[in-house]
Amino acid sequence: MDIALPELEHINRQLASLERPKKPKMLVVDDEPDNLDLLYRTFRRDFNVLRAESGVMALEVLAAEGEVAVIISDQRMPEMKGTEFLSKTVPQFPDTMRIILTGFTDVEDLVDAINSGQVYKYITKPWDPNELKAVVQRAVETYDVQKHRTEELRRAQSQTILLGTLVKVTQEATGLEQALEAIAKTFGETYEADGCTLHLVEAGKPGTLQGNYGTALPSLGDDPVVQEAIATQKPQVKVNESAEEGVLAHLVLPVLFQSASIAVLSLRWGKPFSLQEDELLRLYLAAQQIALALTCVRFGRDWRVAA
């Protein structure tokens, strides 16, 4: 059964409503407190600004806070130069944009750092606030583009793994329960869900045979979202204003075989999570591959998932 585009748009809008605009994170590093304070006041309106007085302290901040969009670091600091500190952040945070502030002509260090991709730009001291703001704005835009590309690649790889797992299930599963557990686990991990349940449908409602990943919901058969998905054979979503019973968003996909709902896939997130329309479509189509996998396991036929 085809899904009408408006249905995907509706689900996409509901999931997107969970996303709260957040200030991007910035880390400023300088051994002079006055410079740290000036950088903080310059960017605090638009960024969640983290501060550190040395490269060592900055690495500790990153270990605690995770990835930031932009790092602005002084070059000349005791114990560790700015370029040395920034080079240590590249392996774990390759998408972060790095800006060096320098009052000296450290040409060799700066050229090496820029050529190796460790530094996005360098700004000389004393800096012009408007110039620095413009550089940071371009850096954030570049960061957003890189993160988008990285996420697209990750999701494409996850989709390949998901389809490969469905093939593996049909080849190796010794029974339906094992197959249901393996498929639920794969979908849950691929889409970063806090819980995923795959129920076989019996007499028009979720039956007793199921596979679970993460946090399971009690009595899916009584859930009106699940009942609607089975009855209409169309994806359904419920978004809560708060994480009611640990669930902020509940997406239900019917699994169809020969125009009948033979199973239902339930994905739950306790945190904001959104999917683009093309991702929703791929998720729906992947869910329909479950029907072939379960049919193969049930009847012992060999098949291959069409990529």
Side-chain angles (χ1 to χ4, degrees):
M1 176 179 292
D2 295 331
I3 322 175
L5 185 59
E7 292 165 0
L8 291 180
E9 291 175 347
H10 173 68
I11 291 175
N12 184 48
R13 284 196 302 271
Q14 287 191 274
L15 291 175
S17 70
L18 295 172
E19 295 288 351
R20 301 287 188 269
K22 295 180 181 178
K23 291 182 180 180
K25 288 183 181 180
M26 169 189 287
L27 173 62
V28 293
V29 189
D30 199 310
D31 61 316
E32 297 182 25
D34 288 345
N35 285 341
L36 273 185
D37 185 57
L38 177 57
L39 289 167
Y40 174 78
R41 286 187 284 109
T42 300
F43 292 104
R44 65 181 179 179
R45 290 180 181 274
D46 301 316
F47 290 86
N48 176 9
V49 183
L50 310 172
R51 292 176 278 189
E53 295 181 1
S54 69
V56 172
M57 184 183 296
L59 291 173
E60 292 174 353
V61 170
L62 289 172
E65 295 286 340
E67 183 173 285
V68 299
V70 179
I71 299 175
I72 300 177
S73 174
D74 186 28
Q75 169 64 354
R76 288 294 182 95
M77 296 184 293
E79 297 182 22
M80 188 185 299
K81 289 183 179 179
T83 48
E84 181 185 355
F85 153 63
L86 292 177
S87 69
K88 293 179 182 294
T89 69
V90 174
Q92 188 173 1
F93 308 113
D95 294 325
T96 294
M97 306 306 294
R98 302 165 182 84
I99 298 170
I100 280 281
L101 300 176
T102 179
F104 300 87
T105 314
D106 297 313
V107 176
E108 187 174 339
D109 284 344
L110 291 175
V111 169
D112 288 345
I114 291 171
N115 287 343
S116 64
Q118 296 170 1
V119 172
Y120 171 71
K121 281 279 188 180
Y122 75 90
I123 301 290
T124 56
K125 292 181 177 180
W127 64 84
D128 180 306
N130 291 327
E131 179 190 359
L132 183 56
K133 283 184 177 180
V135 169
V136 168
Q137 179 60 37
R138 292 194 296 270
V140 171
E141 290 170 357
T142 303
Y143 171 80
D144 289 340
V145 169
Q146 291 184 172
K147 288 300 293 181
H148 180 70
R149 289 174 179 170
T150 300
E151 185 62 16
E152 281 187 335
L153 178 60
R154 184 194 67 78
R155 286 176 171 171
Q157 291 171 336
S158 296
Q159 191 76 6
T160 300
I161 293 171
L162 186 150
L163 294 176
T165 299
L166 291 178
V167 172
K168 188 176 180 181
V169 163
T170 63
Q171 294 173 335
E172 299 180 1
T174 57
L176 279 173
E177 288 189 28
Q178 183 183 354
L180 292 168
E181 287 287 338
I183 294 171
K185 180 175 184 291
T186 302
F187 272 84
E189 290 178 344
T190 299
Y191 291 96
E192 300 177 353
D194 295 296
C196 180
T197 299
L198 178 59
H199 259 291
L200 288 188
V201 171
E202 300 172 4
K205 62 181 182 179
T208 55
L209 203 56
Q210 62 181 281
N212 288 298
Y213 164 80
T215 305
L217 279 177
S219 186
L220 277 184
D222 298 329
D223 191 318
V225 179
V226 175
Q227 294 173 349
E228 184 74 7
I230 295 173
T232 63
Q233 299 186 347
K234 293 177 181 178
Q236 303 294 325
V237 66
K238 179 183 178 183
V239 173
N240 299 315
E241 292 185 3
S242 60
E244 181 181 316
E245 297 184 355
V247 179
L248 196 60
H250 184 192
L251 177 63
V252 182
L253 300 167
V255 176
L256 309 177
F257 185 72
Q258 294 181 349
S259 300
S261 297
I262 66 166
V264 64
L265 181 69
S266 163
L267 292 155
R268 284 95 58 199
W269 295 272
K271 55 186 178 297
F273 186 84
S274 63
L275 293 167
Q276 299 300 316
E277 284 180 27
D278 61 331
E279 293 174 305
L280 281 168
L281 180 57
R282 288 198 297 269
L283 172 55
Y284 176 82
L285 294 176
Q288 303 322 304
Q289 300 284 6
I290 294 174
L292 297 176
L294 295 179
T295 302
C296 255
V297 171
R298 176 175 282 173
F299 297 107
R301 295 199 302 267
D302 188 30
W303 63 289
R304 296 294 183 269
V305 175

